[in-house]
Amino acid sequence: MRARKGNAVKTVFVINGPNLNLLGKREPSIYGGKDLEAISKDCLQAGEDLGLMVDFRQSNHEGVLVDWLHEAGEQAAGVVINPAGYGHTSIALHDAIKAIAPLPVIEVHLSNIHAREPFRHHTMTSPAVVGMICGLGPTGYILALRALADRI
Ligand code: CA2
């Protein structure tokens, strides 16, 4: 059966970076109307459909995100990460993703970062991940989970 080895259901972390806790409350024209709680529910349901246990988290703190990537390296079969603003700046997140290789990590952005301000066009994290999805809103998370399920 896909995404299962033996009878153990594999866990994937879905990690969300700074300000994503504000989703649904502000800037709906950019990020849509869904809040993070609703995205979490959709991810948990998608995980159930794919035979994956989804551990969905959000932090506004770079070091916490690094710690969670390390934890994923010990405990998870893959990671979906929306690094939010830290994706554009954080060598520490890049290094943490590299450090847990070959664990597959997929980067997601709700908005099309390439259609926005030039400072959003580059992410420090994208060279370290297996793939990146942007501009598809919350569907990007579900597509990333499907891609992980195919790989693990
Ligand atoms: O499009 C994405 O998912 C982003 O990762 C969202 C980040 C942004 O810095 C990235 O460039 C692209 C922002 C997180 C959400 O920020 C909010 C700010 C105000 C209201 C709601 C969300």
Side-chain angles (χ1 to χ4, degrees):
M1 186 180 285
R2 199 166 59 158
R4 288 191 173 98
K5 198 175 183 183
N7 286 323
V9 176
K10 301 209 169 183
T11 298
V12 297
F13 283 15
V14 179
I15 296 175
N16 294 278
N19 298 310
L20 286 165
N21 54 310
L22 299 177
L23 282 179
K25 300 180 182 76
R26 292 164 196 270
E27 305 211 53
S29 59
I30 300 174
Y31 300 117
K34 263 195 183 177
D35 64 15
L36 202 61
E37 178 75 26
I39 294 174
S40 166
K41 280 190 182 140
D42 290 350
C43 286
L44 265 59
Q45 181 60 59
E48 211 172 303
D49 297 343
L50 293 163
L52 296 171
M53 177 81 79
V54 172
D55 186 332
F56 193 96
R57 304 170 177 206
Q58 188 274 332
S59 176
N60 292 324
H61 305 282
E62 186 177 15
V64 172
L65 300 172
V66 169
D67 287 342
W68 286 347
L69 285 165
H70 294 175
E71 192 183 328
E74 299 291 323
Q75 299 174 15
V79 175
V80 175
I81 186 167
N82 183 344
Y86 285 138
H88 306 298
T89 60
S90 178
I91 295 171
L93 284 183
H94 171 109
D95 289 346
I97 293 167
K98 285 284 203 185
I100 60 173
L103 194 78
V105 178
I106 299 180
E107 179 172 347
V108 170
H109 295 277
L110 294 158
S111 61
N112 179 355
I113 56 175
H114 301 290
R116 299 184 63 193
E117 305 95 321
F119 64 82
R120 296 187 201 274
H121 294 181
H122 176 262
T123 73
M124 302 298 294
T125 37
S126 53
V129 298
V130 296
M132 205 258 256
I133 298 169
C134 75
L136 302 181
T139 304
Y141 286 76
I142 308 304
L143 295 175
L145 287 168
R146 283 175 55 184
L148 276 185
D150 284 346
R151 291 180 76 98
I152 61 186

